[in-house]
Amino acid sequence: MPGAIYAEGLVKTFGDVRALDGVDLDVPEGTVLGLLGPNGAGKTTTVRVLTTLLRPDSGKAVVAGIDVLKHPNEVRRAIGLSGQFAAVDEYLTGRENLQMVGQLYQMKAKAAKARAEELLERFNLSDAADRTAKTYSGGMRRRLDLAAALVVSPPVMFMDEPTTGLDPRNRQQLWGIIQELVAGGTTLLLTTQYLEEADHLAHDICVVDHGKVIARGTSDQLKARTGGERVEVVVHERDQIAGASEVLAAFGKGETTVEHHTRKLTVPVSGGAKLLAEVIRELDGRGIEIDDIGLRRPTLDDVFISLTGHAAERTTDENGDGEPVADAKGRKAARKEKAQ
């Protein structure tokens, strides 16, 4: 039996851009799938196909046991969606935005009001509940948008870059809410550029690039694929980076990564603490002063670089999938259509 979210052979093109090139997914009920990939990889296009906002050129998709292509209206009633950018009505208050969403889902007025109050409290928006959304900060709008996606407690949730624009405290709070939802049986597909977010929340991770799934597994399984340990060195002076890079190249089992602005160098190695001591002696012998040195396991950043050839990129004002980002009016219309 396929999971709560299932896709097979999804293909979608925009002119000459092949945004999806045969994407396969299977997300078991009550789990979180983290969808990672560089900008332009196809993450947002995948979400938009699975949430009925785009029709694929070919392939099959089933969400909550419902065929996405045959019964899109039924799918919309069974899902919650928080897109990359907050889709709130700027001229309504926070409370009115949430009550409106509840009424669009045909909740009774009293129930919609009670649910709005609950969500305002949960997302720390009670003090701003009667202010118009246009007076909200970017982070507050983001929290209001996420609250709106949870008005009807859907069995399947899609969150596209949900913590973009949130400060660390609110990001941690959202992580807690997501974990509560999943513990209650909600299935979640999460796209993110914050690799620590996927590491913290996702049961499984899919890495996509150029419209294809190029790797899948748990965080630990993907890290094991990258293999070995990493030596990290922070040199005291920037002009010592070249010399330190030569030293690490002699001990390393792969390419040395250099972050010039932090003066940090990282290289994959094998040999553990004994090798680390040898690196320290060699650096000292060359007169290279260091501020910090350490040995660590691979991170999801290492996995990402290994699989895609570069570090993760933060999303700015484009969805990166070869298609224009919908404006706020279009996103609100999509939400209303989903509720019908």
Side-chain angles (χ1 to χ4, degrees), residues 66-291:
I66 307 166
D67 191 298
V68 171
L69 301 182
K70 294 179 180 178
H71 307 290
N73 288 336
E74 292 181 26
V75 171
R76 291 170 193 149
R77 295 188 185 100
I79 64 174
L81 168 64
S82 178
Q84 281 188 7
F85 302 93
V88 299
D89 191 317
E90 294 187 344
Y91 296 96
L92 296 179
T93 67
R95 179 179 283 108
E96 289 168 343
N97 265 282
L98 298 183
Q99 289 178 354
M100 176 188 70
V101 172
Q103 290 172 337
L104 286 171
Y105 276 100
Q106 300 180 349
M107 294 174 67
K108 292 183 178 180
K110 185 176 180 180
K113 182 178 179 180
R115 182 60 172 161
E117 293 296 334
E118 177 186 346
L119 290 167
L120 288 165
E121 178 69 26
R122 195 174 191 184
F123 283 87
N124 290 331
L125 291 170
S126 295
D127 291 344
D130 295 316
R131 285 168 41 194
T132 57
K134 66 181 179 181
T135 68
Y136 284 17
S137 67
M140 292 171 68
R141 292 188 190 197
R142 192 68 178 136
R143 282 182 278 150
L144 182 61
D145 181 70
L146 290 166
L150 297 174
V151 166
V152 294
S153 301
V156 178
M157 277 287 300
F158 294 87
M159 292 187 175
D160 195 8
E161 310 278 359
T163 59
T164 298
L166 296 185
D167 60 37
R169 181 175 64 85
N170 284 311
R171 183 175 296 126
Q172 290 280 347
Q173 181 191 29
L174 177 61
W175 289 0
I177 292 171
I178 289 173
Q179 289 170 325
E180 289 175 15
L181 288 171
V182 176
T186 299
T187 304
L188 173 64
L189 189 148
L190 167 76
T191 79
T192 181
Q193 293 286 8
Y194 296 105
L195 302 185
E196 71 275 17
E197 187 162 89
D199 211 353
H200 188 81
L201 295 174
H203 296 90
D204 257 352
I205 295 171
C206 272
V207 182
V208 295
D209 201 13
H210 300 295
K212 296 181 179 180
V213 175
I214 61 173
R216 176 164 184 169
T218 66
S219 176
D220 285 342
Q221 287 170 342
L222 292 178
K223 290 173 186 176
R225 280 186 54 171
T226 305
E229 299 166 306
R230 267 62 180 163
V231 167
E232 283 188 348
V233 177
V234 178
V235 297
H236 186 66
E237 298 291 345
R238 194 166 277 112
D239 60 9
Q240 295 179 319
I241 289 176
S245 183
E246 291 178 8
V247 171
L248 294 183
F251 290 96
K253 299 296 182 181
E255 185 178 350
T256 301
T257 302
V258 180
E259 297 178 10
H260 287 273
H261 63 293
T262 59
R263 307 182 310 282
K264 184 171 76 173
L265 301 90
T266 306
V267 67
V269 297
S270 60
K274 181 179 178 181
L275 180 134
L276 184 63
E278 294 175 7
V279 171
I280 293 171
R281 282 195 295 269
E282 183 66 22
L283 290 169
D284 185 58
R286 292 200 183 197
I288 298 172
E289 187 178 355
I290 61 174
D291 290 343

